Amino acid sequence: MQVNFLGKNLISPTVLASGILGNNFDILQRVHASGCGLVTMKSIGPTPRDGHNNPTVIDLGHGMINAVGLPSPGYLHMEKEWADLNNRDFPIVASIYGASVDEFQQVADYVSDKKPDFIELNISCPNSEKHGMLFGTSPTASFDVVNAVKKVVKTTPLIAKLTPQALDIGEIAKACEDGGADAICAINTLGPGMLIDIESRTPILDFKKGGLSGPMIRPVAVRCVYDIFKATRLPIIGLGGITTGADAIEMIMAGATLAGVGSAVTYRGISVFKKITREMDQWLKDHGCTLEDIRGAAH
Ligand SMILES: Cc1cc2nc3c(=O)[nH]c(=O)nc-3n(C[C@H](O)[C@H](O)[C@H](O)COP(=O)(O)O)c2cc1C
């Protein structure tokens, strides 16, 4: 099921979410070969960062809680990854983060020279002391960071990745649009949340708090995409809890152009992209319509 996104033809409307399968070329290529239309890299930061200590990810069955903590080699230490990715025959999104507008600009400037198809600004991570959410909960800060990055990257289309913690996510999306974003991705993990081991009476995650993902956050993601669709003209990657073709159809009806998949890679394996696309295709055939017919249909 071919789909066009900001002028690129994708083999399917599915997107690998950032941070799920790292930045290794062989794995990202396998994801594409498994039917994924657009492959997002793990977020890349300004300096080397270890991330948090284990345990960092806990599966609750109906979703996960994680505090991986944005581990990154830092943008200056990825020459092998970039060299491999240079020979790719599939579209990628390079996800970046920073703790200040300057850091975002610095990373974006360098990364855009590596010619990813898109750059995603992670202004929404709840699992780090000072990155991301700081920007994504304020319309002014969101505008400032997108606008500053737009000035340095010029031609690489920008995707702003938003947090469901924003009081009014539509307002944040509009601020990103005004700042020069070409698309929105929503949502990052929900939270932070916490689990406590009642025998030891201590939080289970080493970082104590973590972001929620998977099926349990889908209704929040659907509502966020619905609000963003109302507030902007930008194409949306709808992400959060999508596990089946029916979930993806629901997200398209809320207003998404593409369906992002993160935790479901764990639940249904790497072939989840082919499975979801096939299930979407079947639903559309059964109902005699196209993706365009149902985009935003819930409005
Ligand atoms: C283990 C893990 C690591 C993640 N790392 C990142 C990351 O580096 N950058 C980012 O923007 N989002 C990251 N996310 C968030 C996902 O990209 C996605 O927004 C979120 O999991 C919701 O989608 P899902 O319910 O399909 O998993 C991570 C999620 C998980 C579960």
Side-chain angles (χ1 to χ4, degrees):
M1 192 195 306
Q2 292 244 343
V3 51
N4 190 283
F5 182 69
L6 296 174
K8 289 245 179 257
N9 274 328
L10 311 182
I11 57 165
S12 93
T14 58
V15 181
L16 172 70
S18 179
I20 303 299
L21 290 172
N23 285 335
N24 173 284
F25 172 76
D26 293 333
I27 296 178
L28 299 183
Q29 189 179 45
R30 264 188 68 209
V31 171
H32 173 69
S34 305
C36 179
L38 189 55
V39 177
T40 312
M41 298 170 71
K42 166 86 188 157
S43 293
I44 302 160
T47 48
R49 215 182 120 85
D50 286 340
H52 301 315
N53 292 329
N54 283 326
T56 53
V57 184
I58 305 209
D59 182 14
L60 299 165
H62 51 295
M64 302 185 197
I65 182 164
N66 94 80
V68 174
L70 290 174
S72 171
Y75 71 101
L76 293 174
H77 305 279
M78 291 181 56
E79 286 313 308
K80 161 113 177 68
E81 286 88 341
W82 291 123
D84 289 347
L85 283 165
N86 204 25
N87 299 319
R88 71 185 183 276
D89 59 356
F90 56 91
I92 57 165
V93 182
S95 167
I96 66 165
Y97 69 86
S100 65
V101 169
D102 279 356
E103 282 188 358
F104 264 102
Q105 245 185 342
Q106 203 182 320
V107 182
D109 192 18
Y110 184 90
V111 164
S112 65
D113 280 348
K114 303 297 176 189
K115 305 265 178 273
D117 299 273
F118 306 96
I119 292 179
E120 185 168 276
L121 306 183
N122 178 1
I123 54 170
S124 46
C125 183
N127 299 326
S128 153
E129 303 80 6
K130 54 183 194 291
H131 297 98
M133 240 170 52
L134 206 78
F135 294 99
T137 49
S138 151
T140 318
S142 297
F143 173 91
D144 287 348
V145 70
V146 173
N147 198 241
V149 168
K150 191 75 183 177
K151 285 187 182 124
V152 294
V153 302
K154 296 185 186 77
T155 53
T156 317
L158 286 186
I159 304 169
K161 181 162 179 186
L162 305 190
T163 170
Q165 266 72 250
L167 270 184
D168 179 349
I169 199 167
E171 193 186 3
I172 305 284
K174 182 72 177 68
C176 292
E177 182 175 27
D178 294 345
D182 299 282
I184 301 290
C185 174
I187 55 177
N188 210 314
T189 51
L190 175 67
M194 182 184 278
L195 296 175
I196 293 172
D197 176 70
I198 58 171
E199 299 309 323
S200 64
R201 305 179 185 195
T202 54
I204 298 176
L205 290 168
D206 189 73
F207 189 62
K208 299 186 175 63
K209 302 171 187 182
L212 306 179
S213 64
M216 63 184 163
I217 72 163
R218 206 182 77 243
V220 177
V222 170
R223 185 271 299 165
C224 287
V225 168
Y226 186 91
D227 286 350
I228 295 165
F229 185 80
K230 266 204 310 212
T232 78
R233 300 281 99 217
L234 298 180
I236 306 164
I237 300 173
L239 167 66
I242 296 176
T243 309
T244 66
D247 299 341
I249 294 281
E250 180 189 32
M251 201 59 100
I252 305 287
M253 288 185 177
T257 295
L258 302 177
V261 180
S263 304
V265 175
T266 307
Y267 296 128
R268 298 185 79 188
I270 204 168
S271 58
V272 65
F273 302 98
K274 257 187 197 130
K275 290 174 185 157
I276 288 180
T277 307
R278 239 184 258 132
E279 290 159 6
M280 291 174 82
D281 212 21
Q282 190 59 52
W283 191 96
L284 291 170
K285 277 199 187 98
D286 290 349
H287 293 77
C289 49
T290 66
L291 272 187
E292 283 65 41
D293 295 336
I294 60 161
R295 181 160 304 115
H299 289 259

